[in-house]
């Protein structure tokens, strides 16, 4: 009888362990499915449930951090990214993700340090270099930003976001000729909605900054009415934000004001106006 009771207890304990493991696996499947579908609040609940049983799963912790970041819960995201790094300290993507949260929370030097570690652990990847570009821009180190974006392009010359970013850096360095070169490269090789093909944190950060860029250019245009390049740049930001009507208006103003000044801006503006008409009809 005692033996039977002992076997029964062992069986129940084993059954509970197996049940917990199966529940954990099911929770992860549900978490990941909702994470990839963009249902971040629901995904977090399932990740919480899963991590009760699998507390040291750095991948799940990292993915929950991505959910928190998407929900703009940056403190929670930093906590999860830091926990994932403690569990796997040589993982470059973990440093890249934490670096972007540091940028979003106004800590560019911390971001710079994380992106530098990402480069050290994955020197053949472009993500660390591109992340450090954003940190350098926030630190007003434009020459260093240019060096890093060139490194990113050397590693991945198919990403139009890199050329867009370099074009913006050239505007900060007052190198108009090279700014034109990159704009021309983008127009000749990539579709007008190229951001839709790149869902990285870098893209999200750029998109978050576009409205700030537009507001900044609004002020400059008020101070310098009739300056064609400011209208072209604001139009290009509207274009990237898929505000094609506003973009077309600015490109037409750029055409008007750049008459007898530069044929390149005129050609680019005309091409972008054509694109605006195509994409606004979709």
């Amino acid at each position: 009888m005692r033996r039977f009771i002992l076997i029964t207890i062992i069986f129940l304990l084993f059954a509970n362990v197996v049940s917990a493991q199966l529940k954990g696996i099911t929770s992860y499947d549900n978490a990941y499915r909702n994470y990839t579908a963009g249902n971040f609040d629901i995904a977090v609940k399932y990740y919480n449930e899963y991590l009760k049983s699998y507390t040291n799963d750095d991948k799940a912790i990292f993915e929950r951090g991505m959910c928190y970041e998407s929900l703009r819960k940056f403190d929670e995201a930093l906590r999860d990214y830091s926990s994932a790094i403690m569990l796997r300290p040589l993982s470059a993507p973990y440093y890249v993700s934490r670096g972007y949260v540091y940028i979003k929370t106004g800590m560019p030097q911390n971001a710079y340090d994380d992106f530098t570690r990402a480069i050290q652990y994955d020197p053949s990847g472009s993500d660390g270099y591109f992340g450090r570009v954003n940190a350098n821009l926030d630190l007003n180190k434009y020459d260093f930003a240019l060096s890093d974006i060139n490194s990113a392009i050397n590693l991945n010359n198919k990403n139009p976001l890199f050329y867009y970013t370099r074009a913006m850096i050239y505007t900060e360095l007052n190198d108009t000729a090279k700014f034109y070169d990159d704009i021309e490269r983008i127009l000749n090789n990539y579709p007008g909605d190229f951001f839709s093909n790149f869902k990285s944190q870098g893209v999200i950060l750029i998109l978050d900054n576009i409205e700030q860029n537009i507001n900044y250019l609004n002020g400059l245009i008020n101070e310098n009415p009739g300056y064609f390049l400011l209208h072209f740049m604001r139009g290009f930001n509207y274009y990237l934000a898929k505000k094609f009507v506003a973009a077309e208006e600015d490109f037409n103003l750029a055409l008007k004001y750049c008459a007898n000044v530069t044929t390149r801006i005129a050609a680019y503006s005309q091409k972008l106006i054509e694109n605006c008409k195509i994409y606004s009809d979709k």
Side-chain angles (χ1 to χ4, degrees):
M1 184 66 178
R2 289 180 180 176
R3 184 178 178 183
F4 173 76
I5 293 173
L6 181 60
I7 292 173
T8 302
I9 292 172
I10 292 172
F11 173 79
L12 290 173
L13 290 172
F14 178 75
N16 286 336
V17 170
V18 170
S19 176
Q21 289 177 336
L22 289 174
K23 183 179 180 181
I25 293 170
T26 301
S27 295
Y28 179 79
D29 289 343
N30 288 329
Y32 188 76
R33 184 168 59 252
N34 281 283
Y35 160 60
T36 54
N39 302 320
F40 302 117
D41 278 319
I42 298 172
V44 165
K45 294 177 182 178
Y46 282 116
Y47 278 121
N48 289 342
E49 192 172 279
Y50 170 76
L51 287 165
K52 290 177 183 177
S53 301
Y54 298 89
T55 56
N56 292 327
D57 187 334
D58 60 281
K59 182 174 182 289
I61 293 170
F62 173 72
E63 289 167 359
R64 186 176 66 180
M66 294 286 283
C67 292
Y68 281 133
E69 184 181 353
S70 298
L71 293 167
R72 307 188 77 81
K73 295 182 178 181
F74 297 130
D75 289 341
E76 291 89 341
L78 280 175
R79 181 197 65 204
D80 274 351
Y81 291 151
S82 297
S83 296
I85 286 170
M86 288 182 65
L87 291 166
R88 187 170 293 184
L90 303 183
S91 175
Y94 295 177
Y95 288 102
V96 169
S97 291
R98 190 172 69 175
Y100 278 113
V101 176
Y102 279 138
I103 286 178
K104 293 174 183 178
T105 53
M107 293 184 278
Q109 186 58 54
N110 288 29
Y112 179 93
D113 293 341
D114 267 359
F115 293 130
T116 299
R117 292 189 186 96
I119 293 167
Q120 291 171 347
Y121 298 139
D122 184 18
S124 63
S126 59
D127 289 346
Y129 283 106
F130 183 65
R132 198 166 67 178
V133 168
N134 292 284
N136 278 318
L137 289 174
D138 277 8
L139 293 166
N140 298 318
K141 296 180 177 179
Y142 301 115
D143 288 328
F144 289 104
L146 180 60
S147 176
D148 277 340
I149 195 62
N150 283 332
S151 295
I153 289 170
N154 287 336
L155 291 166
N156 178 7
N157 63 7
K158 301 297 184 183
N159 189 335
L161 176 58
F162 293 173
Y163 294 106
Y164 164 75
T165 303
R166 189 170 66 179
M168 297 302 103
I169 294 171
Y170 282 136
T171 64
E172 296 290 348
L173 296 173
N174 297 314
D175 195 334
T176 307
K178 290 183 179 177
F179 165 78
Y180 290 158
D181 288 342
D182 274 337
I183 294 298
E184 186 170 6
R185 184 177 286 107
I186 291 170
L187 292 179
N188 288 340
N189 294 287
Y190 305 104
D193 59 346
F194 63 73
F195 274 170
S196 66
N197 299 318
F198 292 87
K199 298 299 185 183
S200 70
Q201 289 165 297
V203 172
I204 293 169
L205 185 65
I206 292 292
L207 294 175
D208 283 347
N209 289 339
I210 282 177
E211 287 300 325
Q212 296 178 32
N213 292 343
I214 291 170
N215 290 334
Y216 176 66
L217 288 164
N218 287 342
L220 291 180
I221 289 171
N222 288 335
E223 295 172 5
N224 305 273
Y227 184 34
F228 67 92
L229 187 56
L230 292 176
H231 282 287
F232 178 82
M233 291 176 63
R234 187 174 68 178
F236 197 66
N237 276 275
Y238 278 133
Y239 180 76
L240 295 175
K242 300 188 177 184
K243 296 180 179 180
F244 297 116
V245 173
E248 186 176 348
E249 290 176 0
D250 262 336
F251 292 136
N252 277 313
L253 288 171
L255 272 175
K256 174 183 175 181
Y257 295 131
C258 78
N260 303 319
V261 179
T262 170
T263 56
R264 295 185 80 177
I265 281 292
Y268 301 156
S269 296
Q270 191 60 56
K271 173 62 176 174
L272 286 161
I273 288 169
E274 293 170 6
N275 285 357
C276 286
K277 293 181 185 299
I278 293 170
Y279 289 111
S280 61
D281 290 338
K282 287 185 175 181

